Amino acid sequence: MARSGKAAIVLCLDVGYAMSNSASGEESSLEQAKKVMTKFVQRQVFAETKDEVAVVLFGTDGTRNDLASRDQYQNITVHRSLMLPDFDLLEDIQDVIKPGSEQADFLDAIIVCMDLLQKETIGKKYEKRHIELFTDLSSPVSEDQLDIIIANLKKTGISLQFFLPFPVDDDDDGGGDKSASVCSQMHRNSFPRKGLTEQQKEGIDVVRKLMHTLDEEGGLEEIYTFRESLERLSMFKKIERKSLPWPCQLTIGSNLSIRIVAYKSVIEEKVKKVWTVVDAKTLRKEDIQKETVYCLNDDEETEVQKDDTIQGFRYGSDIVPFSKEDEEQMKYKTEAKCFSVLGFSRSSQIQRQYYMGNQVLKVFAAKDDENAAVAFSALVHALDELKMVAIVRYAYDRRCNPQIGVAFPYIKDAYECLIYVQLPYMEDLRPYIFSSLKNNKKCTPTVDQLSAVDSLIDSMNLVSEDDDGETFEDLFKPSKIPNPHFQRLYQGLQHKAFHPNEPLPPIEQHLLEMLEMPHVVKERCQAPLGKVKALFPLKEVSKKKEEKTAQDIFKDNSEDGPNPKKPKIEDEEGSFSIMKLAEGNVTSFICILIFLDVFLYFGDYSCSTAREDEARFVFEGHSHWLQKDYTYRAIVSQQLINRIHQFLENKGSQYYMKGINCIRVFREEAIKLSKVQCFNDFLQALKSKMEDKALADFWEIIIQDRISLITKDEAEGSSVTSEEAEKFLAPKEKKNETLPPTDEGGDVDDLLAWQLRVQASRLIIMSHQQYHVLPSPQVLLLLLFFNEKRIED
């Protein structure tokens, strides 16, 4: 069924009563034939071909054709005239076409098909006209007009194919010609066999005679079985694309110019975007109206006309206006399309990883230009002999940005050309630096390991070669494998077209096997794989993550003091870092604060007696400092308040949320530690600054989260009633003012430093309640110094 170009096709189907007969548990010949027709039409629909398809049925109860008379061409119906295949035709094949109760001569059906093709193709241009006949040859046949049919088929150039439920070389008892081809024997074994009737044997003789006369050598090759056809049609046909020529001038310097023409040889195929939004009930596009409205980000959501909008390009934390006119002026302007040689390079200098782009061009000399052909051929052969390539500047037309590419010489027996592939610019490269495996003794393989991998590669070779090194079989041809994504998409669309309320069927097995390893290679590599597994054993390494608490770390402090200094061991089980503790639970972070206290205060992990005494003194000093009330107010509270104000100065949503989190923590801990007035004073002062600093959006978050003053219902030390707290959050009447744009930028290091210090403040408060320990002022000051130093760096 392989064709190219526009064609007129008639599907001629036998629906006589014999076609619907079948043995128990077997599919009837009519159902098999309809499956083949369905697969064929599906391929035509999704391939978007311009081929037109008609359907003729014979063996029908009625008669409808232009040749019908009293006793001739009866029980033959033209079901559908020539037109583009669509889902209506698929639906007809599956649901409308039913078995008849009559029989008709298949030669008469061929004559009706020829008449239809002759009449409906007048004045139209078709490269091919074709008849595909599906029958089991059970109907009576008359050879009276066989010679006339053959003569007219040859005269009009109409081709003919037969599709039968059995191979043509079968006999009624399964014997007959013992020298049948291997292919025919395979087909015979693929079918549940039953004896052929005398009428079918006669029909086979007529088919043989007809096809041999039309083509003495390859006539029988146009006779297919239903099973064979289903296997061939299991893949949806690819969309046929006609490559358009791209004429240009190949220039070398300012004085040499060669007329060329280029064609796209390889290009990424994409699914055609034909999706549309329709009403879910009526399935009509007209019932849905789409409208886009632009609004200001304010409470009133003021509508903005499209003419009052402009494109903006984010440049750091600022928005740079960039109109359509600016975009047009910015575009790179070229005088015209070009294919200009910038220079030549050795082919070995162009590394394989530099190939990029989504297409490959084949460049030929212009047709009917002898001078161009001679010059172009000389260039191609010179590059090939010198093992050189041309570095080319390529621009498709004056509106496109130019590319830098490489042109390779390519010489075949039938033609010679240059193959163009795009090369990357500097910004397209992604440099990565990895440590060398050669200098790492742990990664040096043994001789046995190298030999095992060599054997594995040899066993998985997809190319079979003869003794002379010539390739005679390729076990895996990507150029012959259709895209599984397209196949599955077409399968799903076809199913939904007829069964809109049913779930999609499972993926067909041949799609799953499409990209699997060939069975021959899979069997061949089992032994080498086993050897590789034995020489490269894999061991499962599991790390037990323990949750560290203050009790775990400090349980021995009173007895043995701090642990002596230990060398760093990578991947040591149970090891932890500052970052891990910061991401962990509260007690872990408290532990690291105390650890920093000892380390930063004394400088190292020395375990001398003097150091142990000093360290013990520092640990014991935590509770002493915690007992002083001013420590909380002066250090913790003020530090937290300072960080909140710094977050607000950055005026960004990410900093606002950090500030909100800090205020929540401040409020919770103030209630727990009976420092209510401290928090209420802070929140009242914060509200007064909102209007001055144009932070109304931040205060809106405060109102939404209901973060108000601490009331006397929540803590005894408060004098604020619930009504006063509610009134405190009541919004004031807003003035129509345009807020300045918020700065989304900021130093990431600053944010990390502030976040660490805010977390430290919160955890210090929590440590007071849970463990009655607090890092000494030395630690707090050193942390402050560490963060400020980090900001300066």
Side-chain angles (χ1 to χ4, degrees):
M1 290 187 184
R3 299 171 309 282
S4 60
K6 184 178 179 180
I9 306 163
V10 178
L11 304 179
C12 187
L13 174 63
D14 184 357
V15 295
Y17 63 83
M19 282 284 286
S20 59
N21 297 332
S22 63
S24 177
E26 295 181 9
E27 253 186 338
S28 67
S29 298
L30 179 60
E31 290 301 319
Q32 293 184 52
K34 289 170 68 173
K35 279 188 175 181
V36 176
M37 291 175 62
T38 299
K39 288 286 187 182
F40 171 74
V41 175
Q42 283 177 359
R43 284 164 56 93
Q44 297 297 108
V45 169
F46 289 111
E48 301 176 8
T49 65
K50 296 182 179 180
D51 297 347
E52 296 183 359
V53 179
V55 177
V56 173
L57 309 177
F58 63 100
T60 57
D61 296 339
T63 301
R64 189 172 74 247
N65 65 81
D66 294 342
L67 300 179
S69 60
R70 294 180 181 177
D71 57 348
Q72 291 184 330
Y73 307 106
Q74 294 299 304
N75 305 114
I76 301 175
T77 301
V78 177
H79 180 80
R80 177 184 170 111
S81 299
L82 277 178
M83 62 181 68
L84 291 174
D86 51 25
F87 279 105
D88 291 337
L89 176 56
L90 286 170
E91 191 172 2
D92 284 354
I93 295 173
Q94 290 191 2
D95 302 326
V96 178
I97 296 177
K98 302 294 182 181
S101 58
E102 302 292 337
Q103 286 187 318
D105 189 341
F106 71 84
L107 291 179
D108 287 346
I110 292 176
I111 294 175
V112 172
C113 293
M114 292 168 60
D115 178 69
L116 184 148
L117 285 174
Q118 289 280 62
K119 292 179 179 178
E120 296 196 7
T121 58
I122 294 176
K124 299 180 181 180
K125 185 177 180 181
Y126 295 92
E127 293 188 14
K128 290 186 179 181
R129 292 184 292 179
H130 191 65
I131 299 174
E132 297 178 357
L133 194 142
F134 303 82
T135 181
D136 65 349
L137 301 177
S138 294
S139 58
V141 59
S142 173
E143 300 184 43
D144 295 344
Q145 302 188 70
L146 183 59
D147 293 336
I148 298 175
I149 293 173
I150 293 172
N152 278 280
L153 287 173
K154 289 183 176 180
K155 180 180 178 180
T156 57
I158 297 175
S159 57
L160 179 64
Q161 287 179 329
F162 278 89
F163 297 85
L164 310 174
F166 43 75
V168 295
D169 55 354
D170 273 326
D171 295 325
D172 59 345
D173 58 356
D177 186 9
K178 300 297 182 180
S179 60
S181 65
V182 176
C183 182
S184 297
Q185 184 67 35
M186 179 186 68
H187 296 158
R188 180 186 297 113
N189 295 337
S190 301
F191 283 84
R193 298 304 306 133
K194 60 180 179 179
L196 298 180
T197 65
E198 292 299 325
Q199 183 60 58
Q200 287 176 320
K201 291 179 182 180
E202 182 183 350
I204 288 175
D205 292 337
V206 175
V207 171
R208 280 179 178 156
K209 183 177 180 180
L210 174 61
M211 300 308 290
H212 269 304
T213 308
L214 290 174
D215 188 350
E216 294 183 1
E217 295 183 358
L220 294 182
E221 294 180 0
E222 297 301 317
I223 303 174
Y224 302 94
T225 64
F226 293 153
R227 179 71 60 84
E228 178 189 7
S229 303
L230 284 174
E231 292 175 355
R232 293 191 178 192
L233 296 172
S234 61
M235 300 295 179
F236 288 93
K237 184 180 179 182
K238 74 174 184 178
I239 298 176
E240 296 181 357
R241 307 289 190 192
K242 186 177 181 181
S243 184
L244 299 175
W246 181 73
C248 192
Q249 295 281 341
L250 186 154
T251 58
I252 304 177
S254 57
N255 298 323
L256 180 57
S257 177
I258 304 173
R259 289 181 59 216
I260 60 170
V261 59
Y263 298 89
K264 292 179 180 179
S265 176
V266 179
I267 186 169
E268 181 184 0
E269 183 69 23
K270 297 182 179 179
V271 178
K272 187 176 180 180
K273 300 295 184 182
V274 293
W275 305 102
T276 187
V277 178
V278 299
D279 184 81
K281 295 181 179 180
T282 63
L283 300 181
R284 293 177 55 187
K285 181 180 179 181
E286 295 78 14
D287 295 342
I288 299 293
Q289 184 177 0
K290 183 178 179 180
E291 184 178 355
T292 303
V293 178
Y294 297 90
C295 298
L296 291 178
N297 188 19
D298 56 11
D299 292 340
E300 291 78 16
E301 294 186 353
T302 307
E303 184 175 345
V304 178
Q305 298 300 321
K306 187 177 181 181
D307 296 339
D308 295 332
T309 63
I310 190 173
Q311 292 185 122
F313 184 84
R314 183 178 293 279
Y315 188 77
S317 60
D318 299 322
I319 301 295
V320 179
F322 213 79
S323 65
K324 291 289 185 181
E325 292 76 12
D326 297 330
E327 190 175 357
E328 287 296 325
Q329 294 177 10
M330 182 193 66
K331 287 183 178 178
Y332 190 92
K333 298 291 192 304
T334 56
E335 295 180 359
K337 56 185 176 181
C338 76
F339 196 84
S340 177
V341 176
L342 303 180
F344 300 95
S345 176
R346 294 189 181 276
S347 57
S348 58
Q349 293 295 111
I350 310 300
Q351 301 181 33
R352 179 64 187 85
Q353 64 266 26
Y354 289 162
Y355 298 174
M356 64 174 295
N358 65 344
Q359 67 176 7
V360 176
L361 299 180
K362 282 189 175 180
V363 183
F364 300 87
K367 293 182 179 180
D368 304 326
D369 190 334
E370 184 177 350
N371 294 331
V374 172
F376 187 81
S377 178
L379 174 63
V380 172
H381 282 271
L383 291 174
D384 183 65
E385 293 174 4
L386 297 174
K387 300 187 183 309
M388 301 283 284
V389 295
I391 306 301
V392 178
R393 179 180 184 268
Y394 165 74
Y396 180 75
D397 60 24
R398 60 182 299 273
R399 297 167 299 175
C400 297
N401 291 326
Q403 298 176 1
I404 297 296
V406 56
F408 295 90
Y410 189 68
I411 301 175
K412 302 288 287 186
D413 294 336
Y415 64 91
E416 54 192 30
C417 66
L418 292 174
I419 294 182
Y420 169 83
V421 182
Q422 183 182 348
L423 292 177
Y425 287 111
M426 176 183 69
E427 293 83 359
D428 301 321
L429 296 176
R430 297 292 183 270
Y432 298 101
I433 300 176
F434 300 99
S435 58
S436 174
L437 296 177
K438 294 182 179 180
N439 300 329
N440 192 340
K441 295 182 179 179
K442 294 181 180 179
C443 300
T444 303
T446 64
V447 177
D448 292 339
Q449 289 175 330
L450 287 173
S451 176
V453 175
D454 287 343
S455 300
L456 178 62
I457 294 174
D458 292 338
S459 66
M460 296 183 68
N461 190 1
L462 297 174
V463 178
S464 300
E465 299 178 349
D466 54 20
D467 297 335
D468 299 331
E470 296 291 335
T471 301
F472 64 87
E473 184 181 9
D474 192 348
L475 300 177
F476 194 83
K477 296 181 179 179
S479 60
K480 302 295 182 183
I481 298 175
N483 190 329
H485 169 63
F486 292 167
Q487 300 296 316
R488 177 59 174 167
L489 173 64
Y490 298 151
Q491 178 194 15
L493 291 175
Q494 185 267 335
H495 179 81
K496 278 294 183 181
F498 301 117
H499 312 285
N501 298 322
E502 296 181 7
L504 292 178
I507 300 177
E508 297 180 1
Q509 188 61 31
H510 68 270
L511 291 181
L512 297 175
E513 296 175 353
M514 194 179 299
L515 298 178
E516 291 290 334
M517 184 187 301
H519 293 291
V520 178
V521 177
K522 185 179 293 186
E523 295 174 359
R524 200 167 55 197
C525 71
Q526 292 304 314
L529 271 175
K531 190 174 181 180
V532 169
K533 287 182 179 180
L535 292 174
F536 295 90
L538 297 178
K539 297 180 180 179
E540 184 178 355
V541 180
S542 59
K543 289 186 177 181
K544 184 179 180 182
K545 296 184 178 180
E546 297 181 355
E547 186 177 5
K548 296 188 177 295
T549 63
Q551 294 93 328
D552 296 330
I553 295 183
F554 297 126
K555 60 185 178 182
D556 295 327
N557 279 347
S558 59
E559 300 176 2
D560 302 327
N563 292 330
K565 181 177 179 180
K566 295 182 179 180
K568 180 181 178 182
I569 302 176
E570 292 183 0
D571 299 330
E572 180 180 350
E573 185 174 358
S575 63
F576 64 97
S577 64
I578 295 176
M579 291 304 297
K580 289 180 181 178
L581 288 172
E583 295 170 358
N585 55 20
V586 173
T587 55
S588 298
F589 199 87
I590 295 170
C591 298
I592 199 60
L593 285 177
I594 300 174
F595 166 79
L596 282 173
D597 190 348
V598 178
F599 174 70
L600 295 174
Y601 184 72
F602 298 109
D604 58 22
Y605 294 97
S606 177
C607 57
S608 63
T609 304
R611 292 293 184 183
E612 289 178 2
D613 293 338
E614 292 175 357
R616 187 175 294 110
F617 170 78
V618 173
F619 280 116
E620 293 173 354
H622 295 313
S623 58
H624 169 72
W625 286 99
L626 179 63
Q627 293 171 0
K628 296 181 180 294
D629 291 343
Y630 68 83
T631 302
Y632 175 83
R633 292 192 296 271
I635 298 178
V636 180
S637 302
Q638 193 57 45
Q639 186 185 23
L640 192 56
I641 292 171
N642 292 341
R643 297 303 151 248
I644 292 171
H645 289 312
Q646 288 179 353
F647 283 136
L648 299 182
E649 289 175 0
N650 282 274
K651 295 184 181 178
S653 58
Q654 56 181 337
Y655 300 109
Y656 285 174
M657 297 314 299
K658 295 292 183 182
I660 292 293
N661 292 336
C662 291
I663 294 174
R664 284 201 190 99
V665 172
F666 194 179
R667 193 178 193 278
E668 293 172 5
E669 301 304 327
I671 294 174
K672 293 177 182 178
L673 297 177
S674 300
K675 303 298 179 183
V676 176
Q677 194 59 40
C678 181
F679 174 80
N680 287 348
D681 292 344
F682 157 73
L683 197 60
Q684 288 174 345
L686 182 65
K687 182 179 179 181
S688 63
K689 292 182 179 180
M690 293 297 100
E691 296 180 0
D692 299 337
K693 295 189 176 182
L695 294 172
D697 48 350
F698 176 76
W699 190 251
E700 286 293 334
I701 302 176
I702 294 284
I703 296 174
Q704 292 173 8
D705 290 0
R706 312 304 297 171
I707 303 176
S708 184
L709 301 173
I710 300 175
T711 65
K712 57 184 178 181
D713 296 335
E714 297 175 282
E716 295 180 356
S718 174
S719 60
V720 180
T721 63
S722 300
E723 291 77 9
E724 292 174 341
E726 195 67 29
K727 186 178 179 181
F728 180 78
L729 293 178
K732 294 183 179 181
E733 293 184 2
K734 296 184 178 180
K735 300 178 182 179
N736 258 342
E737 295 180 356
T738 303
L739 299 180
T742 58
D743 185 1
E744 296 290 343
D747 194 335
V748 176
D749 286 340
D750 294 357
L751 176 61
L752 292 175
W754 295 335
Q755 184 177 3
L756 177 62
R757 292 155 73 179
V758 170
Q759 287 178 342
S761 301
R762 180 182 180 185
L763 296 172
I764 289 167
I765 300 170
M766 297 181 67
S767 67
H768 163 257
Q769 299 168 342
Q770 296 182 17
Y771 308 109
H772 303 287
V773 255
L774 183 70
S776 63
Q778 293 95 324
V779 171
L780 296 175
L781 293 174
L782 285 169
L783 282 175
L784 180 63
F785 170 78
F786 173 78
N787 292 330
E788 295 297 336
K789 181 63 177 173
R790 184 173 181 177
I791 294 172
E792 292 174 4
D793 293 341

